[in-house]
Amino acid sequence: DTEVTQTPKHLVMGMTNKKSLKCEQHMGHRAMYWYKQKAKKPPELMFVYSYEKLSINESVPSRFSPECPNSSLLNLHLHALQPEDSALYLCASSQEVAGVRHEQFFGPGTRLTVL
Amino acid sequence: AQTVTQSQPEMSVQEAETVTLSCTYDTSESDYYLFWYKQPPSRQMILVIRQEAYKQQNATENRFSVNFQKAAKSFSLKISDSQLGDAAMYFCAYLYNNNDMRFGAGTRLTVKP
């Protein structure tokens, strides 16, 4: 299995809603990532998990809350979002061996619209 | 900080022809990885090709090859025999150790039939 899967594919939510994005991989990768991507722009790193521990938080607002329940799953909990948070949210994973991370494999993304 | 520059926001190629996408990067490290990712309109990022900086030989994957010039910090992607399915946004990316992956701004490739 060489896939990273993400659900849902599309999500529309109001500014008062609480929702979660899910990501799953079964490649045995120990590093997992959340990115935000606006149209025609490169992905922007949000969070990195290494061996289920939060390794990097790129000064992301607290209305985004990541969670890594186990080595295969990564969630992104959303609460009180703003319309400018509308974007494609990408999950990725990579091997990490002896502190060295390798190429990342991306999921198809969740297209989020905040009304 | 490492930066990645793609100076061509848009490129166009005729079907079956060859096109080269440019990428330069800035780093003080000697051992790192470089990648080209493709993102078609369906939006999934797909790894096209990778290059380890310690390897002098240029990486190739079927119709895709790179010209890696370490001293010049240049990493261009050549697509031969272009196909309609090659139309996409192409991102050059740099990775060192356990740091963040750095992406260029992207080049949008159009393939004309």
Side-chain angles (χ1 to χ4, degrees), chain A residues 15-72:
Chain A
M15 289 190 284
T16 58
N17 292 155
K18 285 185 181 180
K19 296 286 184 184
S20 296
L21 309 185
K22 296 186 184 303
C23 174
E24 190 168 1
Q25 57 87 16
H26 294 287
M27 295 179 278
H29 291 171
R30 303 311 296 269
M32 296 186 75
Y33 311 78
W34 279 115
Y35 287 89
K36 174 183 177 180
Q37 188 181 27
K38 290 283 204 180
K40 298 183 181 180
K41 297 290 187 183
E44 298 172 30
L45 183 66
M46 299 175 72
F47 302 104
V48 181
Y49 272 83
S50 173
Y51 288 82
E52 294 100 73
K53 288 188 175 14
L54 185 62
S55 169
I56 294 174
N57 175 343
E58 291 284 357
S59 303
V60 179
S62 59
R63 56 186 184 269
F64 295 91
S65 175
E67 179 197 17
C68 190
N70 59 55
S71 60
S72 300

Side-chain angles (χ1 to χ4, degrees), chain A residues 37 58 101 103-104 106, chain B residues 37 39 44 50 98 100:
Chain A
Q37 188 181 27
E58 291 284 357
R101 297 188 188 136
E103 64 267 28
Q104 295 176 21
F106 285 82
Chain B
Y37 281 90
Q39 191 174 34
Q44 179 150 14
R50 61 175 275 172
N98 65 349
D100 310 344

Side-chain angles (χ1 to χ4, degrees), chain B residues 64-84:
Chain B
F64 298 87
S65 62
V66 298
N67 183 1
F68 173 49
Q69 301 288 329
K70 191 172 184 179
K73 297 179 184 174
S74 170
F75 182 60
S76 61
L77 175 70
K78 185 170 87 170
I79 307 174
S80 304
D81 186 26
S82 296
Q83 300 176 359
L84 295 177

